[in-house]
C-alpha cells in the first residue's frame, strides 16, 4: 500500500510530464505552421513578381517560341546541372499549355486538373517528392494577350524547413 504522499508525488510528476509533452507538441505544430506559411508567402511573392515582369514584356515568351531561336537551346542544363539546380533555394519554370520550346526541361508530371484551376486565375500550391527531397511549388497564371496561356511555376526545396523541424523534435 502506497502512502498519500507518494500518490501525490506520482500524480504531480505525471501531470508535469503530460504538460511538457503537450507544450512540445503545440510548439512543434506552431513552428511547422509558421515555417510553411513563410515558404508559401515567399514563393507566391517571387512568382507574382516574375509573372508581372513577363506580363509587362508582352512578346517575350512568344518570341522565344518562334523558329530560329536556337540560342534558347543552350539554356537546357545537363543532368549534373539539373541535380545542382534542385538544391538551389528557388527555381522558376514557365509552362505553356500548347507549346514546348527547345529549352523545355521535363519535370515531374503535372495534373491537368491543376493546370485548369491555375488557368482560371488562382495561384495553387502543392508539395512533391523529387529523388527523396520534398519540394514546395506554387503555380501562378501569366496574363498575356496572346492566344496561348502561360503558367509560371516557382519551387523551392523544403530541406531547411525540415532541418529546423527536426531540430525541435
Amino acid at each position: 500500500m502506497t502512502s498519500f504522499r507518494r500518490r501525490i508525488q506520482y500524480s504531480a510528476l505525471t501531470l508535469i510530464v503530460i504538460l511538457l509533452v503537450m507544450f512540445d507538441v503545440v510548439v512543434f505544430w506552431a513552428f511547422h505552421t509558421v515555417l510553411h506559411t513563410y515558404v508559401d508567402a515567399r514563393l507566391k511573392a517571387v512568382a507574382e513578381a516574375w509573372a508581372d515582369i513577363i506580363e509587362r514584356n508582352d512578346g517575350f515568351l512568344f518570341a522565344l517560341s518562334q523558329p530560329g531561336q536556337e540560342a534558347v537551346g543552350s539554356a537546357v542544363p545537363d543532368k549534373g546541372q539539373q541535380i545542382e539546380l534542385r538544391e538551389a533555394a528557388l527555381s522558376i519554370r514557365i509552362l505553356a499549355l500548347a507549346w514546348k520550346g527547345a529549352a523545355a526541361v521535363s519535370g515531374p508530371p503535372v495534373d491537368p486538373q491543376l493546370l485548369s484551376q491555375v488557368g482560371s486565375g488562382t495561384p495553387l500550391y502543392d508539395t512533391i517528392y523529387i529523388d527523396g527531397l520534398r519540394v514546395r511549388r506554387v503555380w501562378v497564371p501569366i496574363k498575356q494577350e496572346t492566344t496561348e496561356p502561360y503558367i509560371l511555376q516557382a519551387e523551392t526545396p523544403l530541406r531547411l524547413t525540415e532541418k529546423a523541424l527536426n531540430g525541435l523534435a
Side-chain angles (χ1 to χ4, degrees):
M1 178 169 184
T2 58
S3 68
F4 181 71
R5 183 177 181 185
R6 188 69 74 187
R7 286 184 189 174
I8 292 294
Q9 286 176 343
Y10 287 143
S11 298
L13 182 63
T14 305
L15 181 63
I16 289 171
V17 168
I18 289 172
L19 287 175
L20 285 175
V21 168
M22 286 176 38
F23 180 72
D24 188 40
V25 168
V26 168
V27 167
F28 182 83
W29 177 77
F31 197 56
H32 180 270
T33 303
V34 167
L35 282 175
H36 280 281
T37 303
Y38 170 74
V39 167
D40 287 351
R42 191 180 114 222
L43 267 177
K44 184 177 179 187
V46 168
E48 287 178 345
W50 275 101
D52 186 49
I53 290 169
I54 293 169
E55 288 168 9
R56 283 187 274 142
N57 298 312
D58 274 347
F60 174 71
L61 293 176
F62 185 71
L64 289 178
S65 67
Q66 297 305 310
Q69 297 292 331
E70 284 77 23
V72 176
S74 64
V76 178
D78 63 6
K79 188 67 173 170
Q81 289 174 331
Q82 287 180 10
I83 291 171
E84 290 175 12
L85 288 175
R86 223 174 280 136
E87 301 296 324
L90 180 72
S91 64
I92 294 175
R93 290 184 184 145
I94 299 171
L95 308 173
L97 300 183
W99 165 77
K100 187 169 185 175
V105 177
S106 61
V110 178
D111 183 17
Q113 184 180 7
L114 182 130
L115 292 178
S116 65
Q117 289 175 345
V118 174
S120 69
T122 351
L124 290 175
Y125 299 90
D126 70 336
T127 304
I128 60 169
Y129 286 90
I130 301 176
D131 297 333
L133 179 67
R134 284 183 52 203
V135 175
R136 185 75 170 160
R137 299 188 299 189
V138 64
W139 307 80
V140 177
I142 297 175
K143 297 165 189 76
Q144 289 280 322
E145 291 160 11
T146 60
T147 57
E148 299 176 23
Y150 291 98
I151 295 175
L152 187 133
Q153 171 199 334
E155 62 184 34
T156 186
L158 295 176
R159 174 179 287 188
L160 295 177
T161 303
E162 290 172 350
K163 185 176 180 181
L165 290 174
N166 288 337
L168 284 177

